[in-house]
Structures are given as C-alpha cells and as structure tokens.
Amino acid sequence: MTYRKNRRRGLAATLATAAVAATLLGAAAPRPPVHVDNPFAGASFYVNPDYARLVEGSVARTTDPAVRARMRAVKRHPTAVWLDRIAAIHGGRANAGRKSLAHHLDLALARKKPGRPVVATFVVYDLPGRDCAAQASNGELPLTEEGLDRYRTEYIDAIAKVFARPKYRDIRITTVIEPDGLPNLVTNLSDPECALAQSSGIQVEAVRYALDRLHAIPNVYTYLDFAHSGWLGWDSNLTQTVRLYTDVVKGTAAGLASVDGLVTNVSNYTPLDEPFLTDPERVVGDGPVRSNAFYGWNPRFDEADFTRSVHRELVAQGWPGTTGMVIDTSRNGWGGPARPTAESTSASLDTYVTESRVDRRAQRGLWCNVAGAGLGEPPRAAPAGYPGSHLDAFLWVKPPGESDGSGENIPNGEGKRPDPMCDPAATPGALPHAPLAGHWFHDQFRMLVTNAHPPVS
Ligand code: BGC
C-alpha cells in the first residue's frame, strides 16, 4: 500500500500547514484524516443493536438457562451490517425495522471511547445479477446496463455520501465488498447467468465503481471478498483468481492502492484450522490425504493455509505486502459432540480423513444452513498464531442465526428464490424449515451456540 501511504503523507503535510495557518488565525485546527495499515488494531468494534435484538428473540424462546446465558454472551459480539439492498441504506419499515446506515454510524460514534478508535463493518452486497451461481440470495438489481446504473447512483453513491459526512471521519469504516461476486466469474462460467455476468463486464464495472468511490474516503477501508479454501484452494483456481483480482483492481483510479485487503470464508463453514490433518501430501492407504474425495486433490484444507497461500500469491503478482487478510469465523467452529479429539489411526484413507477432520460436512460444497456447525473464534484484531497469513482480523461477517436461504418458495420482494441447496430433501445436511436468506432462523442459532468452538463464555 505504498501508493496510499505516500498519498496520505502528502495530504497530512498539506493539512499540517493548514493547521499552523489556522492556529495563527486563532481557528480550530482541522485534524488530518489517518488511514492506518490495520483498521481493527487497537479499536473497539461496533456492536449492532439490531443483531442483539434478534438474539434476544431467541433467548425468549429458550428454556435451558445455560443456553440462554450463552446466547446472551453472543449478543455482545460485533457482527457486520449487511447493506443487502438499497432499502438497507435507509432502514425503517422497508427493511424490517432495521436501522439506517447513518443511524448505525451515529451509534458507533456515540459509543466511541475517548482516545480509542472505533471500527464498524458494512457488507456491500447488491451487485447487478447477484448470486449468479445460486438462487437463495439473488438480489434486486438485474444484470443490465440499467441495473448497473442503479447500482452506481442509488446504491454506491448513496452509501458513499453517508460515509463521507465529516462527522463520521473518526470512525474506521471497514467494508466487505460483494461476497461471491468475482469468484463466481472464475469458476462458475458453466452457469449461464455467471457466464453473462462475466462476458457483459457489468459486475467488474460495478466492483471497480464501488472501490473508486469508497477508497476516495480516507477513513473507509476496502476488503474484497475472496471466497474460501474449499472453493479456490486448488493452485490453478487460486492463481487465476488472484490474476482476475489484480486486473480488476489495476483498472480502478488508484490501482492496487484502492484495496486494503481480502476477506475469506464469508458466510461459509470452512474451518480456520484442521488440527489433525496437517500434511496434505501424507500418504495413508491409497494415496495422499488431499486425494481423498472430501478434498478432491485441493491441498488447502482450512482458512489458515488458504490465507497464507493467497497472501503469498498476491505479493507474487505485485500486491503490497501490507495487504491484510480477514477471515469470517462466525460459523466455522465445528465444536459439539461430533468433533474429533485426535488424529484417526485408520489405515484406510477414507476412514482416516472422515475420522480426523473437524469439518463434519458430507461434502465441502455444502453452504446452506449446514447441520452440525458451530460458532467459531470470536471477532478480534490481528489474531496471533497464523504466521504468513497477514491477518488483520477475525470477524463475524455473517451474523450467526441469519439464514443462508430457503428451499421453499416463500414470496418476497427481495429477489430471493427457493434454492435446492437449502432443501433438505434435495441436499441432506441442510437444516429443515429455513426462512429466506438473511431472515432470523432460531433453530440454527441455537445449534450454532451449542456447537461453538471455542465454547461461548
Ligand atoms: C442474504 C442477505 C443477508 C445476509 C446476511 C445473505 O445470504 O442474501 O439478505 O443480509 O445473508 O445474513
């Protein structure tokens, strides 16, 4: 991020001169905006009261006092605020009574302690032709020039206008940009909607526009979504995807400096660490561990390995070493009774992998309201113990308890459709009776709290 740092230094110098002049004139000196390398470091995290309210609803429906106490503890955890449609910027009745973007920022400011920065995270998620490879989170904007136009003016411009208000300059505003958007343009081109998203160039234009507008605000930080190890962990996918990101970001006004980092595992269940499967090349029975059907030769079993490899590849393709990585750990804990406690001693590869892995999914591709999952590591800045991963933070980007989607046809004005991946009859391992994506799912929340790893305290 050399470019950005140089630019800031130039700006700071200008403002320092202005400050001297202002002091001489007896006016209050304007403080220079600061753009730090890791916005989460040393900051307190904004806790979304809308999320806390949803959790309270689950507490009220729970009788076991131990589970209630754990739910109450989860309520105090920070989660990202999803701007998942234009109405989410404005809040109120059009968005299920949730707070507007400005209201969240006012609250973040009100809770800021003197001398300590505050950081609030927002998910920018309204790409034209969104969720092209699935149905559960199809959005409101079509994959057309008109959709792109509305994305720019009614969505990104509206967000940028709020972020840029001078009163918010002391908040470190971090953004997670378009979950699944660019990754779908690499691996899902056999899907006609994704193929069109790619060939039309509309989604790349949209992401570049978002970066240009958001990067221009000094206290806003941009993190591009980068899928997860179970999706992009193969060498060929990983290299090719970093290449796409490099091209996309080089096409923004500030080039690579317009991105502060990447975020992986958003809304997914891939573990941070597979403690008993540490060597993908180790031969057990028929072949190396990674040749087992669960991994399909993908050598990256977890997000710790994945972020390390992605960071290395970014630097190899010319990105600054200061590019930060963030992992969504909201639902990748895999605690509970099914969690293995030791490496398997089986000599059969299949049994060995099945008994050793903490990821209890039947297949790594399952992503909708996965049965057996638990809350993961609590959000925190600069987690130690992951050398080479350059982790800026663990975050709970997906608010645990909000559904991934429904298998049933539930009429709605959000563009969401029934998804077979969320239908337990079509996809064993998806929880039954799920509401629409983003809506509160009490049974899932209870399960996540019960299976948390580390346990909620
Ligand atoms: C949904 C969004 C929701 C988000 C967070 C996504 O799957 O499509 O509407 O805001 O999850 O729960």
Side-chain angles (χ1 to χ4, degrees):
M1 250 167 291
T2 334
Y3 175 91
R4 182 191 275 276
K5 278 180 179 151
N6 287 342
R7 199 186 66 163
R8 299 277 169 248
R9 214 172 295 128
L11 188 59
T14 317
L15 286 165
T17 319
V20 172
T23 314
L24 290 175
L25 293 170
R31 276 166 305 129
V34 179
H35 193 97
V36 296
D37 179 39
N38 179 359
F40 303 98
S44 47
F45 289 37
Y46 171 63
V47 176
N48 177 3
D50 286 336
Y51 180 70
R53 186 170 47 84
L54 292 165
V55 172
E56 248 333 302
S58 273
V59 173
R61 293 173 63 180
T62 304
T63 45
D64 183 331
V67 180
R68 282 167 73 99
R70 279 185 261 159
M71 288 179 173
R72 286 222 160 93
V74 169
K75 201 173 81 169
R76 294 190 288 272
H77 284 28
T79 49
V81 174
W82 285 63
L83 303 173
D84 61 338
R85 53 210 177 108
I86 293 162
I89 305 169
H90 311 291
R93 277 186 45 200
N95 195 38
R98 293 174 190 228
K99 296 186 175 19
S100 66
L101 174 56
H103 195 167
H104 283 296
L105 291 170
D106 287 338
L107 288 174
L109 208 51
R111 283 166 202 177
K112 184 178 165 348
K113 298 186 190 81
R116 190 170 159 87
V118 64
V119 62
T121 302
F122 298 91
V123 184
V124 172
Y125 187 53
D126 205 16
L127 213 49
R130 188 177 80 187
D131 205 22
C132 60
Q135 332 286 316
S137 283
N138 290 164
E140 64 186 347
L141 299 178
L143 186 72
T144 58
E145 283 302 325
E146 198 213 334
L148 177 58
D149 232 46
R150 292 190 62 202
Y151 183 79
R152 289 194 183 110
T153 54
E154 292 174 48
Y155 184 67
I156 295 295
D157 289 354
I159 294 172
K161 206 168 141 201
V162 177
F163 282 170
R165 289 185 190 158
K167 65 171 172 171
Y168 300 139
R169 58 187 282 154
D170 280 343
I171 306 174
R172 295 179 179 174
I173 299 172
T174 53
T175 56
V176 168
I177 297 177
E178 297 298 354
D180 296 356
L182 295 178
N184 271 330
L185 304 188
V186 180
T187 63
N188 284 325
L189 296 179
S190 58
D191 181 302
E193 288 176 46
C194 294
L196 195 59
Q198 196 261 353
S199 62
S200 66
I202 288 175
Q203 295 194 341
V204 165
E205 278 295 296
V207 168
R208 283 185 176 144
Y209 189 80
L211 288 175
D212 280 339
R213 290 301 315 258
L214 298 176
H215 169 72
I217 308 165
N219 56 314
V220 173
Y221 296 80
T222 54
Y223 288 84
L224 280 178
D225 177 84
F226 199 87
H228 57 95
S229 55
W231 181 344
L232 298 177
W234 290 268
D235 286 343
S236 53
N237 282 357
L238 199 153
T239 315
Q240 209 187 324
T241 312
V242 171
R243 199 169 300 135
L244 172 70
Y245 279 55
T246 309
D247 284 352
V248 171
V249 180
K250 279 189 171 164
T252 62
L256 294 179
S258 68
V259 170
D260 291 287
L262 302 184
V263 44
T264 77
N265 207 36
V266 170
S267 300
N268 210 274
Y269 297 85
T270 312
L272 180 62
D273 189 32
E274 278 292 353
F276 308 121
L277 295 174
T278 52
D279 180 4
E281 307 301 339
R282 184 175 157 203
V283 174
V284 178
D286 300 338
V289 175
R290 73 183 177 111
S291 71
N292 173 256
F294 189 73
Y295 294 113
W297 291 95
N298 180 344
R300 290 167 187 107
F301 296 172
D302 58 44
E303 296 304 287
D305 284 348
F306 184 58
T307 46
R308 197 169 55 243
S309 306
V310 172
H311 193 273
R312 196 189 308 124
E313 185 59 29
L314 286 167
V315 172
Q317 293 196 31
W319 291 61
T322 49
T323 306
M325 304 297 295
V326 167
I327 301 173
D328 181 359
T329 55
S330 57
R331 308 182 301 180
N332 70 349
W334 295 107
R339 184 183 176 89
T341 50
E343 183 181 355
S344 166
T345 51
S346 174
S348 133
L349 181 56
D350 260 353
T351 314
Y352 171 83
V353 170
T354 307
E355 288 181 353
S356 300
R357 58 181 163 84
V358 298
D359 185 340
R360 304 310 303 158
R361 287 179 286 192
Q363 303 158 35
R364 276 184 112 191
L366 302 183
W367 54 264
C368 196
N369 304 318
V370 173
L375 304 171
E377 289 286 341
R380 60 181 182 274
Y386 303 90
S389 288
H390 294 264
L391 296 182
D392 279 357
F394 292 149
L395 294 183
W396 285 8
V397 179
K398 176 77 183 181
E402 291 188 6
S403 172
D404 293 312
S406 173
E408 290 155 42
N409 190 7
I410 304 174
N412 67 92
E414 302 173 39
K416 289 165 184 166
R417 294 187 279 174
D419 196 310
M421 292 296 284
C422 307
D423 175 1
T427 308
L431 295 174
H433 313 304
L436 287 173
H439 293 226
W440 192 250
F441 190 4
H442 169 73
D443 292 347
Q444 185 194 35
F445 182 66
R446 195 193 152 93
M447 174 197 77
L448 292 167
V449 170
T450 314
N451 290 340
H453 185 91
V456 180
S457 57

